[in-house]
Amino acid sequence: MTFDDSAIDWLADLLSEAAVAEIMPRFRRLSEGDVRRKTSAADLVTEADVNAERLITARLRQRYPHAMIVGEEACSDDPTLLDGLGDAELAFVIDPVDGTFNFASGVPLFGVMLGVVIKGETVAGIIHDPVGKDWLIGVSGASSHIRHAHGNLEKVHVAKPAPMSEMTGAVSWHYVPEPDRSRLARNQTKSLSQFNYRCAAHEYRLLASGHGHFVVYNKLMPWDHLIHAEAGGHAARFDGSAYLPSHVGGGLLVAPDRESWRELRRELWAE
């Protein structure tokens, strides 16, 4: 089966199915053996991550047997699974529990994320909030919307451009090497205020719906980005080049528009 826009609702429901079956029954019920460290004490994996990814992957393979499927936990075990993502005819990228640290801590800020990539270009993105039971959905050329639990669609748009002194944003400087780490940590205070949800799913939701202005991420994985662009925003890697799903380095700066991006790039990296 080939992918088309009619599959969006099916994919959205699939993320909800995984949340109902594998994620929410474990929320605030994890035992010590259900949580493991990956790269650090802040980088965790739980039985919810593993089992939700397994369910989503199995359903995708049934419907799209020839598609490339890239899951975060599978990639953690074998990073070579990302090879070929830029050339695949059809690929699905999955983050089964974005915000695992929050989930494992009992904090209700986490999400299920899925991206659809065709020949190296992201054509659709879905972020499901298992607690709020709704979805943030972006489709290339068709804007971004929140699909509410009651079925209504609400179109979303990024915040209006503003000077950095009036912006609210998040800077993940802890993943950035020195000397940029110290510059970013210091210069983020030039903005009006900061947020840090430890969850890209909810941070992107904030930006796409116009309630925040910018984020800076150094760690790139293909399941994190498109919805913001369809909501009218601008994103590029730190050097100004376009972000592609196959990129796993180079950082990402996300802003309301191109001019805001340039101001943020200049001010955040200032000596």
Side-chain angles (χ1 to χ4, degrees):
M1 179 180 290
T2 57
F3 177 82
D4 59 50
D5 292 354
S6 66
I8 293 297
D9 286 341
W10 181 86
L11 291 170
D13 291 340
L14 172 59
L15 301 191
S16 177
E17 177 188 351
V20 169
E22 302 292 352
I23 299 172
M24 293 309 295
R26 293 180 168 91
F27 184 49
R28 294 178 176 167
R29 296 181 178 90
L30 294 168
S31 64
E32 185 176 345
D34 292 333
V35 184
R36 300 182 299 281
R37 285 178 54 158
K38 292 198 288 187
T39 62
S40 72
D43 186 14
L44 307 176
V45 60
T46 74
E47 288 300 299
D49 298 76
V50 173
N51 286 286
E53 183 174 308
R54 188 174 295 144
L55 186 155
I56 295 169
T57 298
R59 296 285 193 275
L60 288 171
R61 290 203 188 285
Q62 290 173 358
R63 186 178 175 103
Y64 301 98
H66 302 296
M68 180 180 183
I69 300 175
V70 180
E72 180 176 33
E73 303 316 323
C75 279
S76 180
D77 294 334
D78 181 7
T80 64
L81 292 176
L82 284 169
D83 296 346
L85 180 60
D87 302 317
E89 290 292 322
L90 172 63
F92 296 94
V93 289
I94 310 160
D95 188 345
V97 182
D98 182 74
T100 299
F101 185 90
N102 292 343
F103 179 80
S105 304
V107 177
L109 282 173
F110 52 88
V112 190
M113 304 174 73
L114 181 142
V116 184
V117 180
I118 295 179
K119 296 180 180 177
E121 296 287 341
T122 306
V123 299
I126 304 172
I127 298 174
H128 174 52
D129 177 0
V131 177
K133 298 181 179 179
D134 60 11
W135 301 259
L136 181 60
I137 301 172
V139 178
S140 183
S143 303
S144 291
H145 298 79
I146 293 176
R147 176 181 150 188
H148 294 283
H150 49 66
N152 288 355
L153 287 178
E154 176 190 352
K155 188 174 180 180
V156 295
H157 199 277
V158 299
K160 293 180 180 179
M164 184 177 173
S165 60
E166 298 176 16
M167 290 189 195
T168 296
V171 179
S172 294
W173 50 262
H174 46 287
Y175 286 114
V176 180
E178 294 289 5
D180 286 345
R181 176 187 176 102
S182 295
R183 288 189 189 120
L184 289 169
R186 179 182 69 249
N187 288 329
Q188 67 177 334
T189 59
K190 297 177 181 178
S191 64
L192 178 65
S193 64
Q194 293 84 47
F195 57 83
N196 184 352
Y197 292 166
R198 303 187 73 133
C199 176
H202 279 277
E203 290 172 356
Y204 269 108
R205 181 187 178 111
L206 202 68
L207 264 62
S209 55
H211 300 297
H213 295 87
F214 70 93
V215 292
V216 176
Y217 294 128
N218 189 60
K219 183 181 178 183
L220 296 187
M221 297 305 281
W223 33 77
D224 284 353
H225 320 285
L226 163 80
I227 294 171
H228 179 262
E230 286 301 322
H234 178 73
R237 294 200 292 173
F238 295 163
D239 64 2
S241 61
Y243 167 76
L244 296 174
S246 55
H247 292 154
V248 293
L252 194 73
L253 171 57
V254 180
D257 64 357
R258 191 180 299 273
E259 287 304 314
S260 299
W261 189 96
R262 289 171 177 159
E263 180 185 1
L264 287 162
R265 180 63 178 85
R266 181 178 64 252
E267 294 297 331
L268 285 169
W269 274 264
E271 296 288 350

